[in-house]
Amino acid sequence: MSISIKSQREIELMREAGKILATVHEELEKMIKPGISTYDIDKKGYELIKSFGCEPSFLDYEGYPASICVSVNDEVVHGIPSKNRILKDGDIVSLDAGVIYKGYQSDAARTWPVGEISEEAARLIQVTRESFFEGIKYAKEGCHLHEISAAIDEYCRSRGYGIVRDLVGHGIGKELHEDPQIPNFKQLRRGPKLMAGMTLAIEPMINQGTYKVNFLDDGWTVVTADGKLSAHYENTVLVTKGEPEILSLNK
């Protein structure tokens, strides 16, 4: 495993990529309402990303056919946008997006309510987001990678949720997926020691029920094995000597 340490110039480029991606997510959130199609969201996402002079990280990545992964309800990740998939009141929808700015990547995901949602769905979204912030308490120099994993695991498991094991976070930089892999569940070993300048995409994927998932025949969409809801929250994070810097979240 070789975890790259970014130079100050690289960090500045990734910081700019992150700001752009945060703005894209903010604009996409405004679209979320009953009656729009997941295709509409993807189309708007593509237009926004291009308007900032960036390229969408996901479009044609290993054959993925869209710019925004739009996953509804029991879809964990990698849902393929479609004109026929119409959001309805009570749904939850996860948007996962990435941008490439001057050769450097940023990756972030959010789960949003569609209209009025149940208390259970709202709690799932909230706990998933909170677990990310519990995890990044350890995203600083001198900590070990799997301390992040253990913190996310403990926070979600203690609240009765399933933590997806078949998909994990990752390093990020010039490439969308770099070393290291970042599980969201507790590991037997501590993992590598973190150093300032590492950039990580930390992304809890949390299920209302079982942690188990199924992969659909479209080759992309991942769904919960029991059909219950799933939520996703991700940011690109810079490890520093002190508090981590979230690159893909506007302050």
Side-chain angles (χ1 to χ4, degrees):
M1 182 189 301
S2 175
I3 306 174
S4 67
I5 306 294
K6 306 304 188 294
S7 69
Q8 200 55 47
R9 175 185 170 275
E10 290 177 308
I11 289 167
E12 284 300 328
L13 291 171
M14 291 188 70
R15 192 174 277 136
E16 188 60 30
K19 287 178 183 175
I20 291 167
L21 182 54
T23 302
V24 169
H25 270 294
E26 289 167 358
E27 292 301 310
L28 292 179
E29 180 193 1
K30 296 173 185 176
M31 294 184 67
I32 304 300
K33 60 184 179 182
I36 71 161
S37 72
T38 58
Y39 171 85
D40 294 330
I41 297 168
D42 178 62
K43 182 173 182 289
K44 179 66 172 179
Y46 175 81
E47 291 168 353
L48 283 166
I49 291 167
K50 295 292 282 189
S51 75
F52 286 108
C54 296
E55 294 298 324
S57 301
F58 299 169
L59 184 61
D60 297 325
Y61 181 80
E62 295 185 356
Y64 185 74
S67 300
I68 314 293
C69 297
V70 188
S71 307
V72 183
N73 294 336
D74 65 329
E75 295 172 351
V76 181
V77 285
H78 305 157
I80 298 174
S82 167
K83 290 180 179 178
N84 298 321
R85 188 69 186 269
I86 308 298
L87 298 183
K88 63 183 188 299
D89 193 61
D91 286 342
I92 66 172
V93 58
S94 298
L95 307 183
D96 190 359
V99 303
I100 307 168
Y101 173 77
K102 296 185 178 179
Y104 284 84
Q105 307 260 356
S106 191
D107 188 4
R110 312 278 187 260
T111 300
W112 301 115
V114 182
E116 294 293 321
I117 63 172
S118 69
E119 286 184 18
E120 293 83 1
R123 182 171 178 270
L124 172 67
I125 293 171
Q126 179 182 348
V127 169
T128 301
R129 183 180 183 277
E130 289 170 350
S131 74
F132 165 87
F133 288 97
E134 289 298 311
I136 68 164
K137 289 177 180 178
Y138 300 94
K140 54 188 174 184
E141 184 164 281
C143 290
H144 288 261
L145 182 72
H146 294 158
E147 291 182 84
I148 297 171
S149 308
I152 293 170
D153 182 300
E154 183 177 337
Y155 194 80
C156 295
R157 193 189 301 270
S158 68
R159 287 157 177 77
Y161 293 113
I163 301 146
V164 174
R165 292 171 172 251
D166 290 331
L167 301 147
V168 297
H170 50 92
I172 186 170
K174 283 187 175 179
E175 302 297 327
L176 179 59
H177 294 108
E178 298 182 353
D179 284 338
Q181 291 194 342
I182 310 170
N184 297 302
F185 53 97
K186 194 171 184 178
Q187 303 292 296
L188 292 175
R189 298 183 181 276
R190 294 192 300 170
K193 185 176 282 190
L194 299 177
M195 296 175 62
M198 292 178 175
T199 44
L200 310 173
I202 298 169
E203 52 177 323
M205 289 158 275
I206 308 301
N207 296 345
Q208 204 171 33
T210 180
Y211 70 86
K212 295 180 180 178
V213 298
N214 294 325
F215 293 75
L216 298 188
D217 290 341
D218 64 18
W220 284 103
T221 309
V222 182
V223 299
T224 58
D226 57 9
K228 292 185 178 180
L229 298 177
S230 185
H232 187 192
Y233 189 82
E234 175 187 20
N235 280 301
T236 299
V237 176
L238 171 66
V239 177
T240 74
K241 293 181 185 295
E243 294 304 307
E245 181 181 345
I246 302 172
L247 300 179
S248 54
L249 188 63
N250 285 331
K251 303 298 185 287

